[in-house]
Amino acid sequence: MTDLDYLKLSKPAKMGYNFLGFLKRIPMGFVRGVQKLFLAIWHLLSLFGANVKDVFLTFIHGDWKTRLSYLVMGFGNCARGQWLRGILFFVFQTVFNLYMFNFGLPYLAKFSTLGDIPTTKKGRVTVYGDNSFFILLYGILTIFFILAFIYTWRVNVRQNKLGQQYLKEGRKLQTSKQDLQAMADEQFHKTLLALPTLGIFTFTVLPIIFMILVAFTNFDYEHQPPSKLFTWVGWDNFHTLLSTSGANYGDTFRQVLFWTLVWAFFATFLNYFMGMLVAIMINKKGIRFKKMWRTILVMTIAIPQFVSLLYVSKMFAADGLINGTLMRWGWIAQPIPFWTNAHWARFTVILINLWIGIPYLMLIATGILMNIPADLYESARMDGANAFQMYMKITLPYMLFVTGPYLLTSFIGNINNFNVIFLLSQGKPLSLDLAGNAGYTDLLITWLYKMTVSDTNYKIAAVIGILVFIITVIINLVVYNLMPSVKNEEDFQ
């Protein structure tokens, strides 16, 4: 297809053509991905080999100060007058040695088994044994500390090599005073980012790795430390969650995953189009009290969801305001099972989510609609286009182009929308056909929460967390590469 033929296609036809092209590119994209992976591995191996060779040659050709620095980090820096660097290297090595011999090595030694000494009772006295939780946690921390030490030791060797080389060339080394000035000047970004980087590692990276490793253990209620030990079980938890036999975790996972995607679809696109419609109606010429209508809608955003959703949940109860009013009016004879019937419960949470999401979309759409050139609408009217045609050919394409990334992030956010589901229905109605205390309105994220808080089934919860991450990454990568705002940036320039 030529570029001219492509330009003549309608927007849906273009999207379909782009999607088919994407499907055709998948095999070649897979091949390129594997090729890049092997190239990256080869690059890492080459880099590792080059560093090992450099360390070996530096020791052979180095002076006694450099060689001694291989054992006592910072010695060469201090001997050459760089006291600040030398002291920092030596302090780090001292802290590492104290940590490893007094704390890290005992945990690392039992990392492969996660403990082998159980907690026992001798009469009324409890004799505590190994704690698998601490062994796993501090074992991970120790491994990272070892990697940090190797990197720092390599920097120490490199600085000794450069220091020796500079002195041979007659160049002056940077003094401690100049090091301090550099930390507050050209290297200030490193000084400023040191503490946040440590915080991100401690409170984000380490827990994520811990969760991933828990998925490969039997950590649950029956293996709860410190009274019980848990150990490695390999891929058993993934097999349990993804199995296809009978009404078990596998069947429950498929049902919850299907409902999660259905919920995310309706919660995203119903809010999107309804919010856009409300914005168009409010902005229409001749509508009075526009500020009042916007204020009323924004009120739902100002009220905390914890308060509003719990109150709305009570309104839809069997003895709540909605059922009571409908029965008094004679419209129904029996209370509608909003929270006790699976279909009604799912319909209700989607309906109530409209009340929460429409105001956000109304505000976003209002700002975008004001930026659409009025000349486009005037030209369309002169050509005889009606309101629906102008919406389909001008308003909607413009909105989709501008808000494409928002739609993607909103969809992913609704997959992990904990507040609306849990505060409204707590995942109910429950069923004996679903495992892990799951309910028919549970999303993967609320089901994961129940497993960790109520059932303490950490192993399956960790697997769910990993699969949720994989699903969201796949959706992000596929949809992002299909969005017009990414592929055809020049369309609305």
Side-chain angles (χ1 to χ4, degrees), residues 156 184 243 405 408 427 436 443 463 477:
N156 161 70
S243 61
L408 177 58
L443 306 181
V463 177
L477 292 176

Side-chain angles (χ1 to χ4, degrees), residues 23-78:
L23 293 179
K24 292 178 181 179
R25 290 194 299 270
I26 287 178
M28 186 57 65
F30 178 77
V31 172
R32 291 197 188 100
V34 173
Q35 183 181 13
K36 290 180 180 179
L37 178 62
F38 278 106
L39 288 175
I41 294 174
W42 176 256
H43 177 72
L44 288 175
L45 291 175
S46 301
L47 187 63
F48 177 78
N51 275 275
V52 171
K53 180 180 179 181
D54 185 68
V55 169
F56 181 73
L57 293 177
T58 300
F59 183 83
I60 292 177
H61 301 294
D63 56 15
W64 67 275
K65 301 173 186 177
T66 300
R67 292 177 181 177
L68 190 56
S69 294
Y70 277 59
L71 296 176
V72 182
M73 287 172 53
F75 179 83
N77 297 100
C78 292

Side-chain angles (χ1 to χ4, degrees), residues 274-293:
M274 292 295 291
M276 191 192 314
L277 178 62
V278 171
I280 292 173
M281 292 172 62
I282 293 177
N283 292 327
K284 189 175 179 62
K285 290 182 179 180
I287 299 296
R288 302 175 63 185
F289 310 115
K290 293 184 179 182
K291 292 184 179 179
M292 184 188 72
W293 301 125

Side-chain angles (χ1 to χ4, degrees), residues 235-269:
W235 295 92
D236 290 354
N237 298 323
F238 289 87
H239 180 267
T240 299
L241 192 63
L242 300 176
S243 61
T244 58
S245 58
N248 50 20
Y249 279 104
D251 182 64
T252 303
F253 174 75
R254 288 189 294 276
Q255 292 192 47
V256 175
L257 174 61
F258 175 75
W259 160 241
T260 300
L261 296 177
V262 170
W263 150 262
F265 176 83
F266 283 105
T268 300
F269 291 99

Side-chain angles (χ1 to χ4, degrees), residues 398-454:
Y398 194 95
M399 287 289 299
L400 289 174
F401 183 85
V402 176
T403 60
Y406 167 80
L407 277 174
L408 177 58
T409 55
S410 179
F411 185 85
I412 299 302
N414 282 314
I415 288 178
N416 296 307
N417 196 334
F418 178 87
N419 284 354
V420 174
I421 297 297
F422 197 80
L423 294 175
L424 280 177
S425 67
Q426 297 81 48
K428 297 175 183 177
L430 303 179
S431 174
L432 295 177
D433 295 333
L434 301 178
N437 199 28
Y440 283 109
T441 58
D442 265 320
L443 306 181
L444 289 174
I445 189 69
T446 58
W447 188 32
L448 186 154
Y449 174 81
K450 286 182 178 180
M451 285 203 185
T452 55
V453 175
S454 302

Side-chain angles (χ1 to χ4, degrees), residues 65-66 69 76-77 80 156-164:
K65 301 173 186 177
T66 300
S69 294
N77 297 100
R80 297 184 180 96
N156 161 70
V157 172
R158 186 185 297 115
Q159 288 202 4
N160 276 275
K161 175 186 175 182
L162 292 175
Q164 182 178 338

Side-chain angles (χ1 to χ4, degrees), residues 337-346 428-429 441:
F338 289 112
W339 304 127
T340 55
N341 179 275
H343 299 296
W344 270 108
R346 289 176 173 178
K428 297 175 183 177
T441 58

Side-chain angles (χ1 to χ4, degrees), residues 181-198:
Q181 291 175 345
M183 291 173 63
D185 192 3
E186 61 264 22
Q187 299 295 326
F188 185 65
H189 61 285
K190 296 181 181 179
T191 306
L192 204 62
L193 291 174
L195 189 60
T197 302
L198 181 62

